[in-house]
Amino acid sequence: MKNNIRWVSNRSSILTSVPALVILLALCAAAGIARIWAAAAVLLLIFLLAGAARLWSVLALRKVSLTAGGGADGVFPGEKLEFHIRVHNGKLLPLMWLEIFFPLSDSLCLTPEETREPDQWELEALKEEGCSESLVGEKKMSWCAWYETLDTTSVWTARCRGIYSTSCWRLRTGDAFGLTQVERPVAPEHAGEIAVYPELVPVSVRLFMRNLWNADTGTRGVMEDTTVIRSTREYLPSDSLKHINWRLAARDLPLSVNVYEDILPRSVHFLLDGESFGGEEPHREELEQALSVLASVIVELEQNQVACGLSLCRGAGAAVHLAPGGDVRPLLRALAAYQPAAPALEEETNRVIRQRAGFDLDPLIESARNTGRFYYLTYDCSDLPDQPVLQYLDSTRLTILTWQPGKPFGDYETVCAQTVRVRGERYA
Protein backbone atom coordinates (compact mmCIF):
# COMPACT_ATOMS: atom_id res chain seq x y z
CA MET A 1 0.00 0.00 0.00
CA LYS A 2 1.34 3.44 -0.88
CA ASN A 3 2.14 5.78 2.00
CA ASN A 4 -0.52 8.44 1.24
CA ILE A 5 -1.07 9.56 4.83
CA ARG A 6 -2.39 13.12 5.06
CA TRP A 7 -1.75 15.43 8.00
CA VAL A 8 -5.04 17.01 9.14
CA SER A 9 -3.74 20.38 10.32
CA ASN A 10 -7.23 21.73 10.97
CA ARG A 11 -7.77 19.12 13.68
CA SER A 12 -4.23 19.16 15.05
CA SER A 13 -2.81 21.47 17.67
CA ILE A 14 -0.55 24.25 16.43
CA LEU A 15 2.00 23.07 18.99
CA THR A 16 2.63 19.93 16.89
CA SER A 17 3.47 21.84 13.70
CA VAL A 18 7.10 21.93 12.58
CA PRO A 19 7.49 25.73 13.04
CA ALA A 20 6.07 25.50 16.57
CA LEU A 21 8.42 22.66 17.47
CA VAL A 22 11.41 24.64 16.19
CA ILE A 23 10.36 27.72 18.16
CA LEU A 24 9.83 25.67 21.34
CA LEU A 25 13.27 24.10 20.99
CA ALA A 26 14.87 27.49 20.38
CA LEU A 27 13.13 29.06 23.40
CA CYS A 28 14.12 26.10 25.53
CA ALA A 29 17.77 26.56 24.49
CA ALA A 30 17.58 30.30 25.14
CA ALA A 31 16.10 29.76 28.61
CA GLY A 32 18.86 27.27 29.38
CA ILE A 33 21.57 29.70 28.28
CA ALA A 34 19.97 32.41 30.46
CA ARG A 35 19.89 29.89 33.35
CA ILE A 36 16.11 30.23 33.71
CA TRP A 37 15.81 26.60 34.58
CA ALA A 38 12.09 26.50 35.41
CA ALA A 39 11.13 28.03 32.05
CA ALA A 40 13.56 25.76 30.23
CA ALA A 41 12.07 22.70 31.92
CA VAL A 42 8.52 23.72 31.05
CA LEU A 43 9.43 24.47 27.43
CA LEU A 44 11.32 21.18 27.16
CA LEU A 45 8.33 19.29 28.56
CA ILE A 46 5.99 20.96 26.05
CA PHE A 47 8.45 20.25 23.22
CA LEU A 48 8.73 16.58 24.15
CA LEU A 49 4.95 16.23 24.50
CA ALA A 50 4.25 17.90 21.14
CA GLY A 51 7.09 16.05 19.42
CA ALA A 52 5.92 12.69 20.77
CA ALA A 53 2.36 13.45 19.65
CA ARG A 54 3.54 14.29 16.14
CA LEU A 55 5.78 11.23 15.90
CA TRP A 56 2.91 9.02 17.17
CA SER A 57 0.58 10.37 14.50
CA VAL A 58 3.16 9.90 11.73
CA LEU A 59 3.54 6.25 12.69
CA ALA A 60 -0.10 5.60 13.65
CA LEU A 61 -1.50 4.61 10.23
CA ARG A 62 1.50 2.67 9.02
CA LYS A 63 0.65 -1.00 8.40
CA VAL A 64 -3.02 -0.33 9.09
CA SER A 65 -5.50 -1.70 6.52
CA LEU A 66 -9.18 -0.97 6.04
CA THR A 67 -11.41 -3.36 4.09
CA ALA A 68 -15.18 -3.34 3.63
CA GLY A 69 -17.67 -5.60 1.90
CA GLY A 70 -21.35 -5.00 1.34
CA GLY A 71 -22.37 -8.42 0.11
CA ALA A 72 -24.22 -6.88 -2.87
CA ASP A 73 -23.25 -4.84 -5.90
CA GLY A 74 -26.66 -3.23 -6.31
CA VAL A 75 -29.78 -2.34 -4.31
CA PHE A 76 -33.11 -0.65 -4.95
CA PRO A 77 -34.24 2.58 -3.22
CA GLY A 78 -35.59 1.88 0.25
CA GLU A 79 -33.46 -1.24 0.78
CA LYS A 80 -30.84 -1.58 3.52
CA LEU A 81 -27.21 -2.49 2.88
CA GLU A 82 -24.84 -3.65 5.62
CA PHE A 83 -21.12 -3.02 5.17
CA HIS A 84 -18.82 -5.39 7.03
CA ILE A 85 -15.78 -3.31 7.95
CA ARG A 86 -12.45 -4.72 9.11
CA VAL A 87 -9.49 -2.71 10.44
CA HIS A 88 -6.19 -4.50 10.99
CA ASN A 89 -3.29 -2.95 12.90
CA GLY A 90 -0.18 -4.81 11.73
CA LYS A 91 2.40 -3.16 13.98
CA LEU A 92 3.45 -2.86 17.64
CA LEU A 93 2.19 0.71 18.12
CA PRO A 94 -1.49 0.70 19.26
CA LEU A 95 -4.20 3.06 17.99
CA MET A 96 -5.70 4.90 20.94
CA TRP A 97 -8.68 6.19 18.96
CA LEU A 98 -10.02 5.47 15.50
CA GLU A 99 -12.79 6.70 13.22
CA ILE A 100 -13.87 6.08 9.63
CA PHE A 101 -15.00 9.07 7.59
CA PHE A 102 -17.58 8.49 4.83
CA PRO A 103 -17.91 11.21 2.16
CA LEU A 104 -21.26 10.75 0.43
CA SER A 105 -22.23 11.14 -3.21
CA ASP A 106 -23.65 14.48 -4.27
CA SER A 107 -27.05 12.86 -4.91
CA LEU A 108 -27.03 11.15 -1.48
CA CYS A 109 -28.06 7.94 -3.22
CA LEU A 110 -26.69 5.86 -0.32
CA THR A 111 -26.42 7.13 3.27
CA PRO A 112 -25.26 5.49 6.54
CA GLU A 113 -27.06 5.56 9.86
CA GLU A 114 -24.30 7.67 11.42
CA THR A 115 -24.40 11.06 9.65
CA ARG A 116 -23.56 14.66 10.48
CA GLU A 117 -23.04 17.98 8.80
CA PRO A 118 -19.47 18.42 7.52
CA ASP A 119 -17.09 20.68 9.38
CA GLN A 120 -16.06 23.87 7.66
CA TRP A 121 -12.52 22.63 7.03
CA GLU A 122 -13.85 19.53 5.27
CA LEU A 123 -15.92 21.40 2.67
CA GLU A 124 -13.06 22.23 0.30
CA ALA A 125 -11.93 18.60 0.00
CA LEU A 126 -15.54 17.42 -0.42
CA LYS A 127 -16.07 19.92 -3.23
CA GLU A 128 -12.90 18.82 -5.02
CA GLU A 129 -14.01 15.18 -4.88
CA GLY A 130 -17.54 16.00 -6.10
CA CYS A 131 -19.09 14.71 -2.86
CA SER A 132 -22.04 16.02 -0.90
CA GLU A 133 -21.36 19.24 0.99
CA SER A 134 -24.48 18.93 3.12
CA LEU A 135 -24.01 15.55 4.78
CA VAL A 136 -21.20 13.13 5.62
CA GLY A 137 -20.99 9.84 7.48
CA GLU A 138 -18.76 8.88 10.37
CA LYS A 139 -18.11 5.67 12.31
CA LYS A 140 -16.23 5.86 15.62
CA MET A 141 -14.43 2.73 16.80
CA SER A 142 -12.73 1.66 20.00
CA TRP A 143 -8.98 1.66 20.41
CA CYS A 144 -7.02 -0.95 18.48
CA ALA A 145 -4.16 -2.75 20.23
CA TRP A 146 -0.97 -3.97 18.56
CA TYR A 147 -1.52 -6.63 15.90
CA GLU A 148 -5.25 -6.55 16.56
CA THR A 149 -8.11 -6.83 14.06
CA LEU A 150 -11.38 -4.97 14.66
CA ASP A 151 -14.64 -5.94 12.95
CA THR A 152 -17.71 -3.75 12.83
CA THR A 153 -20.75 -3.13 10.66
CA SER A 154 -22.35 -0.03 9.20
CA VAL A 155 -25.95 -0.04 7.96
CA TRP A 156 -26.72 2.12 4.92
CA THR A 157 -30.02 3.02 3.27
CA ALA A 158 -30.53 3.40 -0.48
CA ARG A 159 -32.26 6.73 -1.14
CA CYS A 160 -32.30 7.31 -4.88
CA ARG A 161 -30.73 6.23 -8.17
CA GLY A 162 -26.96 6.53 -8.48
CA ILE A 163 -23.52 4.94 -8.07
CA TYR A 164 -21.65 5.14 -4.77
CA SER A 165 -17.94 4.43 -4.52
CA THR A 166 -16.14 3.54 -1.30
CA SER A 167 -12.86 4.83 -2.74
CA CYS A 168 -13.44 8.14 -0.93
CA TRP A 169 -13.59 6.51 2.53
CA ARG A 170 -10.87 7.68 4.92
CA LEU A 171 -9.41 6.21 8.09
CA ARG A 172 -8.57 8.77 10.79
CA THR A 173 -6.51 8.45 13.97
CA GLY A 174 -3.91 10.31 16.00
CA ASP A 175 -1.93 10.40 19.21
CA ALA A 176 -3.18 9.43 22.67
CA PHE A 177 -3.23 13.05 23.85
CA GLY A 178 -5.61 14.27 21.14
CA LEU A 179 -3.13 16.84 19.83
CA THR A 180 -2.79 15.51 16.28
CA GLN A 181 -4.83 13.77 13.60
CA VAL A 182 -3.89 12.02 10.39
CA GLU A 183 -6.01 10.31 7.74
CA ARG A 184 -5.56 8.00 4.79
CA PRO A 185 -8.03 6.94 2.05
CA VAL A 186 -8.95 3.32 1.57
CA ALA A 187 -6.56 1.44 -0.68
CA PRO A 188 -7.74 1.26 -4.33
CA GLU A 189 -7.69 -2.55 -4.30
CA HIS A 190 -10.10 -2.52 -1.35
CA ALA A 191 -12.52 0.04 -2.79
CA GLY A 192 -15.76 -0.89 -4.52
CA GLU A 193 -18.89 0.53 -6.11
CA ILE A 194 -22.51 0.02 -5.12
CA ALA A 195 -25.28 0.75 -7.63
CA VAL A 196 -28.62 2.08 -6.45
CA TYR A 197 -30.98 1.02 -9.22
CA PRO A 198 -33.98 3.10 -10.35
CA GLU A 199 -37.05 2.68 -8.17
CA LEU A 200 -39.36 -0.12 -9.25
CA VAL A 201 -42.98 0.79 -9.95
CA PRO A 202 -45.94 -1.41 -10.99
CA VAL A 203 -46.10 -1.74 -14.79
CA SER A 204 -47.97 -3.72 -17.42
CA VAL A 205 -45.83 -5.50 -20.03
CA ARG A 206 -48.64 -6.52 -22.39
CA LEU A 207 -47.32 -4.07 -24.97
CA PHE A 208 -43.93 -5.82 -24.99
CA MET A 209 -45.24 -9.39 -24.96
CA ARG A 210 -47.05 -9.21 -28.29
CA ASN A 211 -45.89 -11.55 -31.07
CA LEU A 212 -42.92 -12.96 -29.18
CA TRP A 213 -41.72 -16.51 -29.68
CA ASN A 214 -39.10 -18.58 -27.97
CA ALA A 215 -36.36 -18.63 -30.60
CA ASP A 216 -33.89 -16.36 -32.33
CA THR A 217 -33.44 -17.80 -35.82
CA GLY A 218 -34.38 -16.54 -39.25
CA THR A 219 -32.83 -14.07 -41.62
CA ARG A 220 -33.84 -11.11 -39.46
CA GLY A 221 -34.86 -12.91 -36.33
CA VAL A 222 -38.42 -13.07 -37.70
CA MET A 223 -40.62 -16.13 -38.21
CA GLU A 224 -44.05 -16.66 -39.73
CA ASP A 225 -47.03 -17.72 -37.62
CA THR A 226 -48.77 -20.28 -39.85
CA THR A 227 -51.90 -20.15 -37.69
CA VAL A 228 -52.67 -16.54 -38.64
CA ILE A 229 -53.20 -15.67 -42.33
CA ARG A 230 -52.74 -11.96 -42.94
CA SER A 231 -53.57 -11.95 -46.69
CA THR A 232 -52.94 -13.77 -49.98
CA ARG A 233 -50.97 -12.92 -53.10
CA GLU A 234 -50.27 -14.38 -56.52
CA TYR A 235 -48.18 -17.53 -56.65
CA LEU A 236 -44.54 -17.23 -57.75
CA PRO A 237 -42.30 -20.14 -58.89
CA SER A 238 -40.00 -19.55 -55.91
CA ASP A 239 -42.83 -19.99 -53.36
CA SER A 240 -43.09 -23.10 -51.25
CA LEU A 241 -45.91 -25.47 -52.10
CA LYS A 242 -46.82 -25.58 -48.43
CA HIS A 243 -47.94 -21.94 -48.63
CA ILE A 244 -50.39 -22.43 -51.52
CA ASN A 245 -54.00 -21.68 -50.58
CA TRP A 246 -55.58 -24.94 -51.72
CA ARG A 247 -59.09 -23.83 -50.84
CA LEU A 248 -58.95 -21.09 -53.47
CA ALA A 249 -57.30 -23.50 -55.95
CA ALA A 250 -60.19 -25.94 -55.45
CA ARG A 251 -62.56 -23.25 -56.71
CA ASP A 252 -60.61 -23.08 -60.01
CA LEU A 253 -59.15 -19.71 -59.02
CA PRO A 254 -55.57 -18.76 -59.96
CA LEU A 255 -52.91 -20.18 -57.70
CA SER A 256 -52.21 -17.94 -54.72
CA VAL A 257 -50.11 -18.27 -51.58
CA ASN A 258 -50.88 -17.32 -48.00
CA VAL A 259 -49.07 -14.40 -46.36
CA TYR A 260 -48.76 -15.21 -42.68
CA GLU A 261 -48.44 -12.92 -39.68
CA ASP A 262 -44.88 -12.40 -38.53
CA ILE A 263 -43.90 -13.28 -34.98
CA LEU A 264 -40.73 -12.08 -33.36
CA PRO A 265 -38.04 -13.61 -31.15
CA ARG A 266 -38.54 -13.66 -27.39
CA SER A 267 -36.26 -10.67 -26.91
CA VAL A 268 -36.61 -6.90 -26.90
CA HIS A 269 -34.12 -4.05 -26.98
CA PHE A 270 -34.62 -0.61 -25.43
CA LEU A 271 -32.99 2.62 -26.58
CA LEU A 272 -33.01 5.50 -24.08
CA ASP A 273 -32.70 9.01 -25.47
CA GLY A 274 -31.89 10.75 -22.20
CA GLU A 275 -30.81 13.91 -23.99
CA SER A 276 -34.39 14.53 -25.14
CA PHE A 277 -35.27 15.28 -21.50
CA GLY A 278 -32.83 18.22 -21.48
CA GLY A 279 -32.89 21.60 -23.16
CA GLU A 280 -33.81 25.08 -22.01
CA GLU A 281 -36.20 23.64 -19.43
CA PRO A 282 -34.68 20.29 -18.40
CA HIS A 283 -37.11 17.61 -17.28
CA ARG A 284 -35.01 15.87 -14.63
CA GLU A 285 -37.96 14.60 -12.60
CA GLU A 286 -39.59 13.18 -15.73
CA LEU A 287 -36.29 11.49 -16.64
CA GLU A 288 -36.14 9.80 -13.24
CA GLN A 289 -39.73 8.61 -13.65
CA ALA A 290 -38.96 7.29 -17.14
CA LEU A 291 -35.91 5.42 -15.82
CA SER A 292 -38.06 3.86 -13.08
CA VAL A 293 -40.64 2.70 -15.62
CA LEU A 294 -37.93 1.34 -17.92
CA ALA A 295 -36.20 -0.54 -15.09
CA SER A 296 -39.53 -1.96 -13.93
CA VAL A 297 -40.40 -3.17 -17.43
CA ILE A 298 -36.99 -4.84 -17.77
CA VAL A 299 -37.40 -6.65 -14.44
CA GLU A 300 -40.95 -7.73 -15.30
CA LEU A 301 -39.94 -9.01 -18.75
CA GLU A 302 -37.03 -10.93 -17.23
CA GLN A 303 -39.51 -12.67 -14.92
CA ASN A 304 -41.50 -13.59 -18.04
CA GLN A 305 -38.32 -15.06 -19.59
CA VAL A 306 -37.98 -12.32 -22.20
CA ALA A 307 -34.35 -11.35 -22.86
CA CYS A 308 -33.78 -7.59 -22.73
CA GLY A 309 -31.08 -5.43 -24.30
CA LEU A 310 -30.31 -1.77 -23.63
CA SER A 311 -28.64 1.10 -25.48
CA LEU A 312 -27.98 4.43 -23.75
CA CYS A 313 -27.05 7.52 -25.69
CA ARG A 314 -23.88 9.42 -24.87
CA GLY A 315 -24.72 11.47 -21.81
CA ALA A 316 -22.05 12.58 -19.39
CA GLY A 317 -20.08 9.45 -20.37
CA ALA A 318 -19.71 7.05 -23.27
CA ALA A 319 -22.59 5.44 -25.13
CA VAL A 320 -23.63 2.06 -23.71
CA HIS A 321 -24.77 -1.00 -25.64
CA LEU A 322 -25.82 -4.20 -23.85
CA ALA A 323 -27.15 -6.98 -26.06
CA PRO A 324 -30.15 -9.04 -24.89
CA GLY A 325 -29.15 -11.60 -22.29
CA GLY A 326 -30.41 -13.49 -19.27
CA ASP A 327 -28.99 -11.24 -16.53
CA VAL A 328 -30.69 -7.87 -16.04
CA ARG A 329 -28.24 -6.57 -13.43
CA PRO A 330 -25.84 -5.00 -15.98
CA LEU A 331 -28.84 -3.19 -17.52
CA LEU A 332 -30.03 -1.92 -14.15
CA ARG A 333 -26.50 -0.84 -13.27
CA ALA A 334 -26.21 1.09 -16.55
CA LEU A 335 -29.49 2.85 -15.77
CA ALA A 336 -28.25 3.64 -12.25
CA ALA A 337 -25.07 5.22 -13.63
CA TYR A 338 -26.62 7.16 -16.51
CA GLN A 339 -26.33 10.94 -16.35
CA PRO A 340 -27.35 13.30 -19.17
CA ALA A 341 -24.72 15.53 -20.71
CA ALA A 342 -24.14 19.06 -19.49
CA PRO A 343 -26.37 21.68 -21.16
CA ALA A 344 -25.25 22.92 -24.57
CA LEU A 345 -25.30 26.62 -25.48
CA GLU A 346 -26.25 28.02 -28.86
CA GLU A 347 -23.37 30.20 -30.03
CA GLU A 348 -25.39 33.09 -31.44
CA THR A 349 -28.09 33.46 -28.78
CA ASN A 350 -26.31 31.77 -25.84
CA ARG A 351 -29.54 29.85 -25.30
CA VAL A 352 -29.57 26.39 -23.73
CA ILE A 353 -30.48 23.78 -26.34
CA ARG A 354 -30.98 20.03 -26.34
CA GLN A 355 -28.00 17.81 -26.90
CA ARG A 356 -28.33 15.44 -29.84
CA ALA A 357 -28.55 11.80 -28.77
CA GLY A 358 -25.71 9.63 -30.05
CA PHE A 359 -25.82 5.84 -29.88
CA ASP A 360 -23.16 3.23 -30.55
CA LEU A 361 -24.67 2.20 -33.88
CA ASP A 362 -22.35 -0.62 -35.00
CA PRO A 363 -23.14 -3.16 -32.24
CA LEU A 364 -26.75 -1.99 -32.25
CA ILE A 365 -27.18 -2.80 -35.95
CA GLU A 366 -25.27 -6.06 -35.53
CA SER A 367 -27.59 -7.28 -32.77
CA ALA A 368 -30.71 -6.22 -34.70
CA ARG A 369 -30.66 -9.48 -36.68
CA ASN A 370 -31.57 -11.55 -33.63
CA THR A 371 -33.73 -9.09 -31.70
CA GLY A 372 -37.49 -9.33 -31.71
CA ARG A 373 -38.54 -5.73 -31.24
CA PHE A 374 -36.93 -2.37 -30.49
CA TYR A 375 -38.40 0.35 -28.28
CA TYR A 376 -37.08 3.90 -28.48
CA LEU A 377 -37.81 5.90 -25.30
CA THR A 378 -37.77 9.68 -25.74
CA TYR A 379 -39.38 12.70 -24.11
CA ASP A 380 -41.27 13.66 -27.28
CA CYS A 381 -40.98 13.30 -31.05
CA SER A 382 -39.38 16.67 -31.76
CA ASP A 383 -35.83 15.31 -32.27
CA LEU A 384 -36.71 12.07 -34.04
CA PRO A 385 -36.42 13.36 -37.66
CA ASP A 386 -32.67 13.89 -37.08
CA GLN A 387 -32.04 10.57 -35.30
CA PRO A 388 -29.69 8.36 -37.41
CA VAL A 389 -30.75 5.14 -35.69
CA LEU A 390 -34.17 5.40 -37.34
CA GLN A 391 -32.49 4.98 -40.73
CA TYR A 392 -31.63 1.40 -39.77
CA LEU A 393 -34.75 0.42 -37.79
CA ASP A 394 -37.98 0.89 -39.73
CA SER A 395 -41.54 0.88 -38.42
CA THR A 396 -41.75 -2.94 -38.70
CA ARG A 397 -38.98 -3.33 -36.11
CA LEU A 398 -39.31 -0.36 -33.78
CA THR A 399 -41.92 1.25 -31.53
CA ILE A 400 -41.59 4.82 -30.27
CA LEU A 401 -42.20 5.33 -26.54
CA THR A 402 -42.72 9.01 -25.73
CA TRP A 403 -42.99 10.35 -22.21
CA GLN A 404 -45.19 13.21 -23.34
CA PRO A 405 -48.47 12.21 -25.02
CA GLY A 406 -48.46 13.35 -28.63
CA LYS A 407 -49.14 12.56 -32.26
CA PRO A 408 -47.66 9.44 -33.90
CA PHE A 409 -44.31 9.82 -35.62
CA GLY A 410 -44.50 8.76 -39.26
CA ASP A 411 -45.42 5.10 -39.74
CA TYR A 412 -43.97 4.11 -36.38
CA GLU A 413 -46.20 2.77 -33.67
CA THR A 414 -46.12 5.51 -31.03
CA VAL A 415 -47.12 4.82 -27.42
CA CYS A 416 -47.06 7.10 -24.38
CA ALA A 417 -44.71 5.42 -21.91
CA GLN A 418 -46.71 6.71 -18.96
CA THR A 419 -49.56 4.37 -19.92
CA VAL A 420 -47.28 1.41 -19.20
CA ARG A 421 -47.33 2.23 -15.49
CA VAL A 422 -50.21 0.78 -13.49
CA ARG A 423 -51.53 3.60 -11.33
CA GLY A 424 -52.82 3.06 -7.83
CA GLU A 425 -50.71 -0.06 -7.21
CA ARG A 426 -47.51 -0.63 -5.32
CA TYR A 427 -44.69 -2.78 -6.61
CA ALA A 428 -44.56 -6.10 -4.79
Side-chain angles (χ1 to χ4, degrees), residues 17-69:
S17 64
V18 173
L21 291 174
V22 173
I23 293 173
L24 283 172
L25 187 60
L27 290 176
C28 179
I33 293 174
R35 297 179 180 273
I36 309 176
W37 305 117
V42 171
L43 290 170
L44 180 61
L45 179 62
I46 296 175
F47 170 78
L48 292 176
L49 180 64
R54 184 178 181 91
L55 180 62
W56 189 316
S57 292
V58 170
L59 300 176
L61 283 179
R62 294 181 183 273
K63 296 185 178 181
V64 176
S65 62
L66 170 66
T67 58

Side-chain angles (χ1 to χ4, degrees), residues 4-5 15 36-37 58 97 104 136 160 167 170 189 251 316 326 393 412:
N4 50 357
I5 299 174
L15 289 175
I36 309 176
W37 305 117
V58 170
W97 63 273
L104 306 178
V136 295
C160 60
S167 61
R170 293 197 277 273
E189 61 269 20
R251 299 176 186 174
L393 299 174
Y412 291 90

